[in-house]
Amino acid sequence: MNKLSITHNNGIATVTINNPPVNILTIELINEINEFVLSLKDERDIKVVVFKSLHEQFFLAHLDLHVINGTQGGQAASIEFNHMIANIKAMKQVSVAVVDGVARGGGNEFVMACDLAYGTENAAFAQPEIHVNIPTGGQGAVHFARRMGKNKALQALLVGNDFTAQQAEALNIITKYVPKAEMDAFLAQTLGVISLLEIRDIVMYKEIIETSIKDENAGVELELRYFLERAKEEKTQAIIEAFLKHGGQTEREAKDIQGIFVDTAAELEK
């Protein structure tokens, strides 16, 4: 039985996870997620992938505890889980976790592997692995350290407590807290903008950001290289010409730059 339900709409793929009874990251679910994510490698029409859960209480509970053992099969499943985290991070598309329930352990690591993550008032995030005598196994401690700094990360990992979406936003575990009643409208607006871009635009900024986090000077060089390459494109010159025609670099920019962009797009579609 498929544990993922996938729909497509205007450049956005929505993946709904359903692995009863509580959305455990079993090896079957991990394999299905890996297969789907890897299938997008050469996909250009899908710009955004949204991960949601069908379960009312759980986004993803955690990694299946039955695979956390010293057996060959258990070790292999744990490694596949790690591959899944790496595959999500390597996606060309913008990956988005929409969390309306609990995401602990591997579930929270899944959330942090995504490019963007939004949580509702029903969401909870935690890395409680220490209480079953293991460290995080899907880059949880690594993400906590890089996002929170030493002291907050250490406390969170040693205590293993839940964070609300508001707390998770403040700690950089997720991108933003969004009330459930506002989530659909928020996603439609935010992801609607991203879905109109070319896949190469997304790849470009992912590369610049990833490089800059590792090495600021390398990020500076890569950004400039992209800038100079894009400046030579006919598309860039056509957009700039239309932008100037419709009030770019005039006082209209002060209060209506979005209007200029809209008029620019309409001009280019003629």
Side-chain angles (χ1 to χ4, degrees), residues 58 60-63 102-108 124-129 162:
F58 289 93
L60 284 168
H62 49 72
L63 180 62
V102 173
R104 296 191 185 103
N108 188 52
F125 307 88
Q127 298 292 162
E129 285 86 347
D162 281 359

Side-chain angles (χ1 to χ4, degrees), residues 51-73:
F51 293 99
K52 294 182 174 182
S53 165
L54 197 62
H55 200 285
E56 288 186 358
Q57 293 178 285
F58 289 93
F59 175 74
L60 284 168
H62 49 72
L63 180 62
D64 184 4
L65 295 179
H66 293 104
V67 307
I68 301 175
N69 55 49
T71 68
Q72 190 172 357

Side-chain angles (χ1 to χ4, degrees), residues 104-157:
R104 296 191 185 103
N108 188 52
E109 289 168 322
F110 183 104
V111 170
M112 292 192 293
C114 291
D115 298 312
L116 305 174
Y118 306 110
T120 72
E121 61 273 21
N122 302 319
F125 307 88
Q127 298 292 162
E129 285 86 347
I130 197 67
H131 299 302
V132 289
N133 200 43
I134 55 170
T136 53
Q139 305 182 22
V142 177
H143 276 285
F144 271 22
R146 291 170 68 82
R147 295 173 187 221
M148 299 180 191
K150 178 186 174 181
N151 54 358
K152 287 184 172 63
L154 188 59
Q155 175 177 284
L157 293 164

